[in-house]
């Protein structure tokens, strides 16, 4: 079963598409630079499933001078400003599994 894109996935893919279009690079050039297939690049930039992994975001971003963290931060900033915009598909995604929540606090 295909994994649906979350709103954050779509925002990040949109920023990648804008950056790639602005760069003037072709998908073939990006594929050569990143080692990704042209098909996979197209899937990500068309916002199709499956969504980009963090590693893929980093590879595509680096091809146009952006880091994965910059792309995620841009998307988060937009999402925070939009009252009706959900970062995740449902609340259960943000819940910790049963047990000690302190195990997950590495900040």
């Amino acid at each position: 079963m295909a994994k649906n894109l979350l709103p954050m996935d779509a925002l990040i893919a949109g920023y990648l598409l804008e950056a790639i279009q602005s760069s003037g690079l072709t998908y073939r050039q990006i594929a050569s630079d990143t080692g990704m297939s042209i098909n996979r690049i197209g899937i990500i930039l068309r916002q199709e499933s499956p969504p980009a992994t963090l590693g893929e975001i980093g590879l595509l971003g680096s091809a146009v001078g952006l880091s994965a963290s910059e792309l995620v931060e841009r998307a988060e900033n937009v999402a925070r400003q939009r009252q009706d915009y959900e970062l995740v598909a449902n609340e259960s995604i943000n819940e910790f599994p049963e047990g000690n929540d302190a195990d997950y606090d590495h900040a």
Side-chain angles (χ1 to χ4, degrees):
M1 181 158 89
K3 181 179 176 187
N4 292 331
L5 267 65
L6 296 174
M8 284 294 292
D9 298 323
L11 277 171
I12 292 167
Y15 285 129
L16 281 168
L17 179 61
E18 288 175 15
I20 289 169
Q21 289 174 335
S22 295
S23 75
L25 293 172
T26 65
Y27 286 12
R28 187 172 309 279
Q29 290 169 310
I30 292 169
S32 176
D33 290 347
T34 63
M36 295 174 65
S37 73
I38 293 171
N39 184 52
R40 182 63 182 138
I41 293 168
I43 288 169
I44 292 168
L45 299 179
R46 288 189 304 271
Q47 300 179 17
E48 296 175 357
S49 186
T53 66
L54 187 55
E56 290 170 328
I57 292 167
L59 286 171
L60 292 172
S62 69
V64 293
L66 297 169
S67 69
S69 61
E70 288 173 308
L71 290 160
V72 170
E73 183 178 17
R74 285 183 189 183
E76 285 178 333
N77 288 337
V78 167
R80 278 190 204 105
Q81 293 173 9
R82 293 176 56 179
Q83 297 294 331
D84 63 335
Y85 203 91
E86 295 293 327
L87 291 176
V88 294
N90 61 56
E91 290 301 314
S92 67
I93 291 174
N94 288 325
E95 294 175 4
F96 290 107
E98 294 292 324
N100 185 356
D101 292 350
D103 291 342
Y104 298 96
D105 187 17
H106 298 287

